[in-house]
Amino acid sequence: MSHYTALLDANVLYPAPMRDVLMQLAVTDIFKAKWSEDIHREWIDALMRNEPHRDRETLERTRDLMNHATRDCLVTGYEALIPSLDLPDPDDRHVLAAAIVGRCDVIVTQNLKDFPEDALEPYGIETLHPDDFLSNHLALAPGLFCSALRKVRARLKNPPYSAEDYLAILTQQGLVATAAELEQFRDLI
């Protein structure tokens, strides 16, 4: 449906509720999702640091399923570009390099300050907070968006979540505007 290509930063792939929404929208072709093995490593390492009881093999299986389910998602061959990029945190340069090589329109990240506009503008890339990104896509395709969220919520069985409970989870994840706009579609999710 969309020719909009978004690089998903590690901080939107963990926590899981945000990843689940973005992944379902990507496989629904509401947008094209891209990431790199470095980004996968980053979100898996962060999750393991915060929740050391988790099984790394299970997370790596999630990574492999993501790569398999999402068409043309894995960006490679960007490493040579990293040293030439200038960002406030040098550790974020791989994200911008992957976005450039992946021909992405936007980097979806919770750390907007790490990707200043003047550093991205020469490449025609912008950053969006996941709440703004999702809110924009909800406005563009409310039916498809709600259908995708209904699928995500239906997979949550232990425990199952009502639409109201699910919207509360999205709000807790920082997706405040998206969850508020989804209130009007509660019966569809």
Side-chain angles (χ1 to χ4, degrees), residues 12-25 47 51 54 134 149 152-153 155-156 161 165-166 168-175:
V12 301
L13 296 177
Y14 162 60
M18 195 175 302
R19 179 180 63 237
D20 292 346
V21 170
L22 289 163
M23 283 300 303
Q24 188 63 50
L25 293 173
L47 201 155
E51 301 177 34
R54 298 292 290 267
L134 291 171
L149 258 61
V152 173
R153 189 173 68 86
R155 288 195 297 263
L156 301 173
Y161 288 91
D165 291 341
Y166 185 64
I169 288 171
L170 295 182
T171 300
Q172 290 166 359
Q173 296 295 314
L175 304 175

Side-chain angles (χ1 to χ4, degrees), residues 32-123:
K32 289 181 185 171
K34 296 208 178 252
W35 47 75
S36 67
E37 287 298 345
D38 285 331
I39 290 171
H40 274 313
R41 198 169 13 267
E42 212 174 295
W43 75 259
I44 290 170
D45 287 350
L47 201 155
M48 292 299 296
R49 264 193 315 277
N50 294 334
E51 301 177 34
H53 63 279
R54 298 292 290 267
D55 178 38
R56 183 174 281 275
E57 279 185 29
T58 302
L59 300 175
E60 289 171 352
R61 189 168 66 244
T62 298
R63 172 202 64 203
D64 295 343
L65 289 169
M66 288 170 64
N67 290 346
H68 182 72
T70 313
R71 225 171 344 109
D72 302 323
C73 61
L74 209 52
V75 180
T76 59
Y78 57 87
E79 294 81 3
L81 192 55
I82 294 171
S84 68
L85 300 173
D86 186 27
L87 290 174
D89 181 349
D91 290 343
D92 288 324
R93 294 179 301 173
H94 72 93
V95 176
L96 177 55
I100 293 166
V101 171
R103 294 191 168 95
C104 297
D105 303 296
V106 65
I107 297 171
V108 181
T109 182
Q110 297 192 59
N111 297 335
L112 301 176
K113 69 180 181 347
D114 291 345
F115 299 95
E117 191 178 324
D118 61 335
L120 275 61
E121 189 181 32
Y123 307 103

Side-chain angles (χ1 to χ4, degrees), residues 7 29 57 73 88-89 102 104 133 151 183 189:
L7 188 86
D29 281 338
E57 279 185 29
C73 61
D89 181 349
C104 297
F133 181 77
K151 288 177 184 169
E183 277 293 332
I189 63 165

Side-chain angles (χ1 to χ4, degrees), residues 122-135:
Y123 307 103
I125 298 171
E126 62 177 330
T127 52
L128 279 175
H129 187 278
D131 197 20
D132 296 325
F133 181 77
L134 291 171
S135 180

